[in-house]
Amino acid sequence: MGYVAVKGGNEAIERACRLFAHERTKGTSPPLGVEQIKEQLYLAADRVMGEGSLYAPDLAALAIKQSAGDTFEAAFMLRAFRATQQRLGYSLPSSTEKMRVVRRISSAFKDIPGGQILGATSDYTLRLLDFDLLKDDAARRRAFREQIFSSLPADAEIPETFPKVIRILRREGLLEETLSAAHPEERAFDITRQPLTFPASRSAKLQALARGETGGMLALAYSSMRGYGDIHPTLGELRIGYLPLTVPHPATGEPYVAGEVKVTEAEVLARMQGSDGMPRFSLGYGICFGQNEIKAISMAILDRCTRTEKPNCPAEDPEFVLYHIDGIEAMGFCNHWKLPHYVDFLSDLDRLRKAQEMARAGKQQERRRC
Amino acid sequence: MSHADLTVLINTMDEQQVESLLELFANEELTVSRPPRTGLVMLTVKDCFETDFHLGEVLVTEARVVFRGCEGYGMIPGEAPRRALARAAADAVLRCSEPTGIQKDLRAFLEREEAIRETRLAEEAALVAATKVNFDLMPGA
């Protein structure tokens, strides 16, 4: 490879690395604590965990600090860290019906069993800068906390779990049949252990989508929403909450709850023609670590798009989608163009000069014939 | 609450409480059979078609402790060796079939923590519940 045909430069490289760290620390503001990032920039940490495919809020916050806020770099660091850790095992399969819900909405039905819970969201805020935040201090926070708790309705209660909205449609036979019967999988594919091949199994596809980069997935899903595809979805349900991480107890084999993991889940509905000629809604499924609604919805749309029988657009082609959504791989490839390509380029120059010589020679011959 | 559920309370205790809990075990015959180590657990979930797939890995710390021949297991998310040890010790003590005084003390300790946790969860749940919405359709819709 042309770009490894150089050596040296160690001192300059080391100084450049130190200069990068200096850029982050040269200002007069107090050092940014990892706890601050984890608590106050939690959506950034959530995004990094989802794209790094490692649930570790403290390390995600550290990676954001180290990368000076570059989420691609931070996700890369998490992915690299996971490679240094041993795999202790797999959890018992977790159903999202058991989720401790903190937000749950549907754009398909106004009234859903358990109700719509808006939760913590910026959906209804004006996208205008809040200059009051410039005066953020402990006293203001205390006052805000007191105010938010004092104004709570006395009868506000929330169920421990919520039934899935799609159950309503399933009960009435308005949803496509389950896919698992048509595409049985004895055990879930693990793309961290085996290379992704095509046609990809459903479990492999979902795992690849779950670790995809938010922007890349949104771009592809958006292309479908805008008309480069045939899927115009309705959000059946979006829920955010905490899933139990359950493993078998090594001594007893009984389920052992190690803790909980925050996730966002989306189920989208799209119309389809059933294989028996009966029109039914089809489903698209999305889920990711942390609170990342754009990613979960985009994943659900791409899941549905890539099940289109005759793909016509990039977003409907599973190979195209799954090979291009991994942010770490895409960023790595893009970044590698910055490495010296002197030998490749010299070869290109050489070929270009020869091609020009031949073109000139050809023109001269043409002129002589005339 | 089963004893396995009780030990999960250790996950959210503050650092001082974890140390107090470990002090509670100071004079007991506990042997660390596997010192705390970090590793990854692949979180497997079910999609809307009941297909199992791997969502991603979770960083955890695990440890094992033996108490009077009974092996206790501790696993908690993140890098937290002291907490993992505390969970393993608590699991071993609570699973021991031989009645001991430490079991009573440990249950009392964890039940106090459970009350704290329930208060905190109730506060969070109240904030979330207050955002329950009933949209009205516009006239003519």
Side-chain angles (χ1 to χ4, degrees):
Chain A
M1 300 290 268
Y3 43 81
V4 293
V6 292
K7 62 179 185 175
N10 292 7
E11 195 181 330
I13 290 169
E14 277 171 24
R15 284 185 181 279
C17 294
R18 285 204 296 272
L19 181 55
F20 176 66
H22 174 66
E23 282 295 318
R24 181 165 44 79
T25 55
K26 70 182 181 186
T28 53
S29 60
L32 191 55
V34 165
E35 282 293 310
Q36 287 174 290
I37 298 171
K38 189 173 77 169
E39 291 175 2
Q40 298 178 46
L41 303 179
Y42 67 97
L43 293 177
D46 284 354
R47 176 171 173 163
V48 165
M49 289 192 292
E51 295 170 7
S53 196
L54 177 67
Y55 194 87
D58 292 300
L59 298 185
L62 174 63
I64 290 168
K65 174 170 173 148
Q66 190 180 330
S67 64
D70 184 331
T71 55
F72 279 96
E73 288 279 356
F76 197 154
M77 286 173 201
L78 278 199
R79 206 63 86 82
F81 175 81
R82 70 159 284 280
T84 68
Q85 295 291 305
Q86 58 193 320
R87 171 79 62 79
L88 302 178
Y90 291 83
S91 79
L92 298 172
S94 206
S95 164
T96 52
E97 297 225 28
K98 290 182 189 161
M99 196 190 279
R100 177 164 69 83
V101 170
V102 293
R103 168 162 162 79
R104 185 237 196 182
I105 54 167
S106 170
S107 55
F109 298 104
K110 188 173 81 69
D111 299 310
I112 50 176
Q116 304 220 27
I117 311 288
L118 297 180
T121 179
S122 60
D123 283 355
Y124 306 96
T125 55
L126 296 171
R127 265 68 179 188
L128 298 175
L129 287 172
D130 178 2
F131 292 101
D132 284 349
L133 284 178
L134 293 171
K135 293 170 268 173
D136 192 15
D137 59 25
R140 287 177 68 91
R141 287 178 176 209
R142 242 188 339 266
F144 181 72
R145 186 182 155 81
E146 278 166 20
Q147 186 268 327
I148 197 170
F149 277 102
S150 66
S151 60
L152 281 179
D155 57 347
E157 277 187 4
I158 188 168
E160 278 188 17
T161 56
F162 290 83
K164 288 290 191 77
V165 170
I166 57 167
R167 267 200 208 168
I168 302 168
L169 298 166
R170 234 177 213 143
R171 237 185 351 244
E172 291 186 40
L174 297 171
L175 271 187
E176 66 181 313
E177 297 304 315
T178 57
L179 293 181
S180 43
H183 308 275
E185 287 188 64
E186 259 180 41
R187 123 179 5 163
F189 194 92
D190 188 350
I191 63 169
T192 67
R193 291 284 190 265
Q194 297 160 272
L196 185 61
T197 53
F198 293 91
S201 65
R202 177 155 184 78
S203 61
K205 184 178 85 169
L206 291 176
Q207 187 182 10
L209 286 167
R211 60 202 267 142
E213 195 268 324
T214 312
M217 292 170 73
L218 172 63
L220 287 172
Y222 184 46
S223 73
S224 177
M225 294 178 222
R226 284 197 66 248
Y228 290 90
D230 195 24
I231 306 299
H232 190 82
T234 303
L235 188 58
E237 185 172 353
L238 175 82
R239 53 167 70 188
I240 297 171
Y242 294 86
L243 267 185
L245 174 70
T246 311
V247 295
H249 191 292
T252 64
E254 288 168 10
Y256 174 93
V257 178
E260 50 182 23
V261 170
K262 193 177 189 183
V263 298
T264 304
E265 183 190 50
E267 288 170 340
V268 300
L269 303 160
R271 214 174 139 207
M272 70 174 287
Q273 185 75 29
S275 52
D276 56 358
M278 180 65 73
R280 290 188 184 91
F281 283 121
S282 58
L283 275 171
Y285 185 79
I287 188 168
C288 59
F289 281 148
Q291 180 167 358
N292 190 343
E293 300 175 17
I294 294 285
K295 176 169 168 176
I297 295 169
S298 298
M299 175 174 168
I301 291 169
L302 290 175
D303 170 38
R304 177 59 192 86
C305 285
T306 50
R307 298 209 315 273
T308 303
E309 277 182 20
K310 290 175 187 162
N312 281 317
C313 308
E316 292 176 347
D317 179 348
E319 199 166 328
F320 186 91
V321 171
L322 299 187
Y323 273 150
H324 294 101
I325 53 162
D326 191 284
I328 316 292
E329 284 180 18
M331 163 226 188
F333 205 85
C334 185
N335 264 343
H336 106 278
W337 299 119
K338 293 186 282 188
L339 294 169
H341 281 65
Y342 309 139
V343 176
D344 298 38
F345 191 65
L346 273 178
S347 162
D348 284 346
L349 271 179
D350 195 37
R351 271 184 293 157
L352 177 66
R353 284 176 183 136
K354 277 186 182 148
Q356 282 191 344
E357 274 172 30
M358 285 166 72
R360 280 189 207 106
K363 277 183 186 166
Q364 277 175 354
Q365 273 183 354
E366 223 170 272
R367 266 187 236 124
R368 270 185 221 124
R369 268 190 235 118
C370 296
Chain B
M1 215 177 197
S2 74
H3 77 258
D5 295 333
L6 268 178
T7 70
V8 88
L9 297 166
I10 296 167
N11 288 17
T12 46
M13 278 180 187
D14 64 39
E15 298 288 339
Q16 267 189 334
Q17 286 291 86
V18 174
E19 292 308 316
S20 305
L21 181 58
L22 286 167
E23 273 172 32
L24 197 67
F25 300 128
N27 298 321
E28 300 299 325
E29 303 158 30
L30 289 158
T31 313
V32 178
S33 57
R34 174 175 286 164
R37 60 171 186 177
T38 58
L40 307 172
V41 172
M42 181 59 92
L43 176 60
T44 307
V45 296
K46 287 181 182 296
D47 77 346
C48 53
F49 299 105
E50 296 289 305
T51 307
D52 291 351
F53 75 99
H54 304 310
L55 172 58
E57 287 156 311
V58 182
L59 178 70
V60 296
T61 309
E62 70 165 11
R64 292 188 196 190
V65 168
V66 178
F67 176 67
R68 299 191 181 188
C70 185
E71 190 172 53
Y73 183 62
M75 177 187 275
I76 78 148
E79 188 173 356
R82 302 285 288 169
R83 268 178 216 278
L85 266 183
R87 264 197 90 168
D91 187 48
V93 167
L94 291 173
R95 289 197 326 103
C96 180
S97 50
E98 193 184 326
T100 57
I102 183 75
Q103 285 175 335
K104 199 177 154 200
D105 293 346
L106 177 58
R107 277 192 188 280
F109 189 100
L110 292 175
E111 278 160 12
R112 279 195 300 276
E113 189 59 32
E114 189 181 4
I116 296 169
R117 182 174 183 261
E118 276 179 5
T119 307
R120 185 174 51 77
L121 283 179
E123 269 186 7
E124 283 174 20
L127 287 173
V128 171
T131 67
K132 189 169 179 176
V133 66
N134 288 306
F135 288 118
D136 291 321
L137 288 179
M138 291 172 81

